[in-house]
């Protein structure tokens, strides 16, 4: 599988400003039989990193630092959501429409999640198995919930619409990824 690595830059929703986090950016790249996602958090001095919990599905990961990928399709209401945590817990859901018809999405094996935290920057990497992802082409929403030590949560996405953050808004799915070219 081959497609060009795709960079992204997220913006913080104005209703929930970050205290110390300055920027969240990253890239999506092919990785063998997986899709690698990397988020870089600049200004991570006060970042809350969920404690290691071991691999496994878990709900409500977004209640602390969590990284998310939404995959939709142009002209269709349904979409998939992937929540990836530094704790190594993860979740995958399918929806028939915006926040409607949620069910667990089957995965052939668990995504891998790793986090490295430095003095002022953190890197979160995840690799999601391609066989667990929807059919191509994709309109993606990439997002992050960032919690800082004082309990402040900021909500980062490619685009924001509305007075409150809503990563499920299909208007936020602005990153187009075409089907990869097979060698």
């Amino acid at each position: 599988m081959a497609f060009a690595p795709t960079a992204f830059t997220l913006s913080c929703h104005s209703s929930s400003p970050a205290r110390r986090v300055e920027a969240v950016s990253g890239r999506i790249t092919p990785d063998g039989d997986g899709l690698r996602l990397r988020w870089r958090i600049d200004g991570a001095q006060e970042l809350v990193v969920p404690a290691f919990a071991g691999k496994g599905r878990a709900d409500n990961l977004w209640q602390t630092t969590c990284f998310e990928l939404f995959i939709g399709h142009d002209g269709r209401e349904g979409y998939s959501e992937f929540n990836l945590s530094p704790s190594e817990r993860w979740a995958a859901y399918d929806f028939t429409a915006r926040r409607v018809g949620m069910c667990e999405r089957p995965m052939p094996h668990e995504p891998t999640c790793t986090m490295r935290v430095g003095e002022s920057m953190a890197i979160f990497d995840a690799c999601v198995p391609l066989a667990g992802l929807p059919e191509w082409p994709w309109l993606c929403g990439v997002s992050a919930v960032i919690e800082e030590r004082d309990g402040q949560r900021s909500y980062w996405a490619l685009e924001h619409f509305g007075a409150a953050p809503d990563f499920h808004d299909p208007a936020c799915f602005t990153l187009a990824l075409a089907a990869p070219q097979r060698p």
Side-chain angles (χ1 to χ4, degrees):
M1 174 187 78
F3 66 87
T6 303
F8 59 83
T9 300
L10 305 183
S11 63
C12 185
H13 195 279
S14 61
S15 71
S16 57
R19 301 227 194 278
R20 298 286 305 260
V21 174
E22 301 161 6
V24 179
S25 59
R27 69 176 187 247
I28 300 173
T29 58
D31 186 358
D33 291 333
L35 183 73
R36 179 153 310 277
L37 300 112
R38 171 172 283 180
W39 286 262
R40 175 186 168 136
I41 302 97
D42 292 305
Q45 299 90 328
E46 300 293 321
L47 179 69
V48 170
V49 178
F52 173 77
K55 289 184 179 185
R57 280 188 189 257
D59 293 323
N60 301 315
L61 295 172
W62 53 268
Q63 292 182 354
T64 187
T65 300
C66 177
F67 301 88
E68 301 185 0
L69 172 68
F70 291 80
I71 299 176
H73 304 281
D74 199 16
R76 293 195 311 210
E77 287 190 78
Y79 61 93
S80 300
E81 174 186 7
F82 300 86
N83 301 153
L84 305 156
S85 172
S87 71
E88 291 195 15
R89 295 293 171 147
W90 60 276
Y93 308 103
D94 286 326
F95 293 83
T96 57
R98 185 175 176 178
R99 297 187 179 274
V100 174
M102 184 176 101
C103 64
E104 281 192 355
R105 180 172 185 82
M107 296 296 285
H109 59 83
E110 296 184 297
T112 59
C113 301
T114 59
M115 183 97 179
R116 294 183 306 263
V117 180
E119 286 186 35
S120 65
M121 178 195 55
I123 300 287
F124 178 75
D125 275 310
C127 190
V128 180
L130 281 176
L133 298 174
E135 66 188 41
W136 297 82
W138 299 339
L139 281 177
C140 298
V142 182
S143 53
V145 176
I146 304 294
E147 183 176 3
E148 295 180 80
R149 286 193 196 130
D150 63 359
Q152 174 71 14
R153 279 189 223 130
S154 55
Y155 300 86
W156 299 75
L158 295 169
E159 297 282 342
H160 292 285
F161 299 92
D166 184 0
F167 300 155
H168 289 259
D169 184 345
C172 298
F173 302 179
T174 60
L175 183 63
L177 288 179
Q181 300 299 313
R182 300 269 176 206

